[in-house]
Amino acid sequence: MKHPIVLGLQYGDEGKGKITDSLAKQSEWVIRFNGGSNAGHTLWVNGKKLVTHSVPSGVLYSHVKNYIGAGCVLDPVSLKKELAEISQSGSALKGERLRIDSRAHLTLPIHIVLDAARESGSKSIGTTRKGIGPTYTTKMDRCGIRVGDLFESGIQDKVRFLCDTYNAMIRAQDLSESSFEDNWKVVELAQELLREHVASDPTPFYDIAKTHKCVLEGAQGVLLDLDHGTYPYVTSSNTLPSAAAAGTPFPLSRLGAVIGVAKVYMTRVGSGPFETELDNEDGERIRAKGGEFGATTGRPRRVGWLNIDELRLAVRLSDCTHIVLTKADILTGEPVVKALNKGSLKEFPCWKSIYKDDSRTALSAELESYLSYVETEAGAKIVGVGTGSDRADFFWRGETPDFWA
Ligand code: GDP
Ligand code: IMO
Ligand code: MG
């Protein structure tokens, strides 16, 4: 058996959470492999909204176990809040239902101070200010704190060394330090919160992947990839399918379909190039209709037309086998729909309705013809279309693929 990876083909917020949740129904494990509390994945079920940040989007199914891989970073304060919200939604994530790799790195107050300091300078990236970049920095610098360290005797020394090393840099910039005591408080919180969830088995998926259906859930998107995205306006982790193998103990040969999620238009939060950006009333209208405000920070998202040149690049970089195009409903009734392809902006007649008729068994001719154009030009089949925010608002174009073949 092979297992699908769900990832974003644009600048994040494509609707990965919703697709992951729908695949979770048939799965036994949902596994996150990158990012941390910078992610915000929205799930709507029967009028109730839940946003996952560090926790995988398999939370709403009680039969699903969720795994946070070593490639992720974890902020204990943010996780505590997230677990409380999940619990309020009626889905308690006790012990076995949430496993956290003991090798994942912790985001502590000092990382958040470093992120804010870096962002307040003249070359800001427009980060989520969740301490993500600095957490990956201290990981690479080999002085980060891992989940497993919390339960070892040398933990005090490690936290002290981290604070001493990085406070020296903070002091050099005349900024206020993050005290050992502030960081230690979060370490103590983490010791209490994480104990029941720690997974130290180095190769759990070697056997699990033979018989149990898994979904690997990416955060951010291909164009925000640290190496292949629009550097320096990127996140600090890899977002391509290879990160699913690097950031988890999941056997490479068991990774299969790559389900790339893209919006029918585009959004971006934070700084960086955006060729098709609509900095006008069209952009404002689509932002309002699409509710384009960050799920994590609440920031208004920049909005623009679909860039098929970038979509083709993302399909190639990710070796995407199936595209899911979300938010088709948001453009319904627009005078025209536009997309950039081979360097020029093209215009298409927009669909007046998603479906051909009330039977909802086929898409309208205009939407079908637009989808055919996009998939041919992008180089991967559009297998499904998002028709609204609820779990049920989805149309499989043709037979539902078997993603675990
Ligand atoms: P993620 O980070 O990729 O999981 O995406 P976000 O949750 O940050 O942003 C996607 C937003 O679009 C959320 O508000 C979703 O509820 C919503 N959404 C996802 N798919 C659709 C769709 O097909 N139509 C509409 N109207 N909303 C959608
Ligand atoms: P999901 O998983 C959209 C963006 C930030 C900023 C850049 C770097 O919900 O799709 P960081 O805090 O990671 O150092 O910020 O990356 N960014 C996201 N944009 N969706 C996300 O996650 C994002 N995670 C980070 O806005 O431009
Ligand atoms: Mg999001």
Side-chain angles (χ1 to χ4, degrees):
M1 194 195 311
K2 294 205 178 197
H3 307 267
I5 304 171
V6 176
L7 49 77
L9 292 174
Q10 296 164 330
Y11 295 101
D13 303 331
E14 300 89 348
K16 299 173 291 293
K18 181 183 154 181
I19 307 306
T20 305
D21 165 73
S22 79
L23 295 180
K25 187 177 181 185
Q26 307 162 62
S27 317
E28 284 161 84
W29 286 89
V30 177
I31 304 158
R32 270 278 299 273
F33 53 86
N34 75 304
S37 57
N38 50 349
H41 296 182
T42 315
L43 316 177
W44 277 103
V45 182
N46 298 328
K48 272 175 53 184
K49 176 179 165 182
L50 177 72
V51 181
T52 63
H53 299 283
S54 296
V55 171
S57 299
V59 284
L60 293 179
Y61 287 103
S62 59
H63 68 274
V64 171
K65 292 183 187 167
N66 297 279
Y67 194 93
I68 298 178
C72 298
V73 295
L74 197 63
D75 175 348
V77 177
S78 147
L79 181 70
K80 187 174 180 191
K81 194 162 159 265
E82 186 175 350
L83 290 178
E85 281 164 12
I86 292 170
S87 168
Q88 273 162 20
S89 80
S91 186
L93 275 189
K94 286 284 152 218
E96 280 302 303
R97 284 204 56 217
L98 177 64
R99 311 305 295 150
I100 302 175
D101 199 305
S102 61
R103 298 149 200 93
H105 279 246
L106 293 174
T107 299
L108 295 178
I110 194 161
H111 298 111
I112 295 170
V113 167
L114 285 161
D115 200 354
R118 169 76 172 71
E119 281 297 295
S120 61
S122 60
K123 293 213 163 80
S124 78
I125 303 293
T127 73
T128 58
R129 297 188 175 225
K130 300 289 178 188
I132 304 298
T135 311
Y136 283 111
T137 300
T138 59
K139 170 180 173 171
M140 296 300 170
D141 201 11
R142 290 151 298 176
C143 62
I145 310 296
R146 305 203 291 177
V147 169
D149 294 335
L150 292 169
F151 311 103
E152 302 286 337
S153 58
I155 178 69
Q156 278 228 9
D157 284 349
K158 284 190 173 157
V159 176
R160 210 173 281 283
F161 182 69
L162 172 72
C163 291
D164 288 349
T165 309
Y166 281 84
N167 271 325
M169 293 185 197
I170 293 173
R171 262 196 310 275
Q173 293 179 55
D174 277 340
L175 296 165
S176 32
E177 297 179 33
S178 176
S179 69
F180 169 79
E181 289 71 27
D182 282 355
N183 285 272
W184 187 250
K185 257 189 241 153
V186 175
V187 166
E188 285 179 327
L189 162 75
Q191 286 169 327
E192 200 186 313
L193 187 71
L194 304 185
R195 191 177 294 276
E196 63 175 302
H197 301 293
V198 179
S200 3
D201 179 354
T203 58
F205 293 106
Y206 189 78
D207 286 324
I208 289 173
K210 291 178 186 160
T211 48
H212 295 62
K213 288 184 175 175
C214 305
V215 178
L216 293 108
E217 178 187 14
Q220 291 81 50
V222 167
L223 304 175
L224 288 174
D225 180 273
L226 177 60
D227 292 301
H228 304 282
T230 53
Y231 191 90
Y233 301 103
V234 292
T235 190
S236 295
S237 67
N238 287 113
T239 59
L240 297 181
S242 46
T248 66
F250 207 87
L252 187 59
S253 65
R254 296 261 172 213
L255 295 173
V258 175
I259 306 170
V261 188
K263 272 179 194 163
V264 69
Y265 49 92
M266 282 174 92
T267 60
R268 177 165 204 166
V269 206
S271 316
F274 192 173
E275 210 178 336
T276 54
E277 183 165 12
L278 286 165
D279 201 3
N280 57 21
E281 59 198 33
D282 287 344
E284 274 165 35
R285 187 175 62 254
I286 296 172
R287 178 182 305 120
K289 274 210 238 171
E292 296 298 352
F293 297 89
T296 294
T297 58
R299 289 181 290 177
R301 294 172 180 153
R302 298 158 67 193
V303 173
W305 293 117
L306 182 66
N307 185 333
I308 299 178
D309 294 328
E310 285 186 342
L311 187 62
R312 185 183 310 112
L313 172 71
V315 162
R316 291 177 180 190
L317 281 169
S318 65
D319 200 12
C320 168
T321 56
H322 307 75
I323 298 179
V324 164
L325 209 63
T326 59
K327 298 208 144 180
D329 54 304
I330 301 301
L331 295 188
T332 303
E334 282 289 314
V336 289
V337 53
K338 296 184 194 173
L340 188 79
N341 192 23
K342 300 184 176 136
S344 71
L345 198 62
K346 309 221 166 18
E347 248 185 56
F348 305 83
C350 194
W351 44 97
K352 292 181 189 60
S353 64
I354 294 272
Y355 292 104
K356 188 171 166 205
D357 55 39
D358 291 346
S359 70
R360 299 190 162 209
T361 50
L363 299 175
S364 63
E366 296 91 344
L367 179 53
E368 255 309 324
S369 115
Y370 182 68
L371 297 177
S372 300
Y373 178 81
V374 173
E375 67 187 1
T376 306
E377 294 298 312
K381 192 120 193 75
I382 299 175
V383 294
V385 179
T387 62
S389 53
D390 195 85
R391 181 191 268 172
D393 298 330
F394 194 78
F395 182 82
W396 287 110
R397 232 168 132 230
E399 231 170 86
T400 314
D402 177 3
F403 293 116
W404 292 271

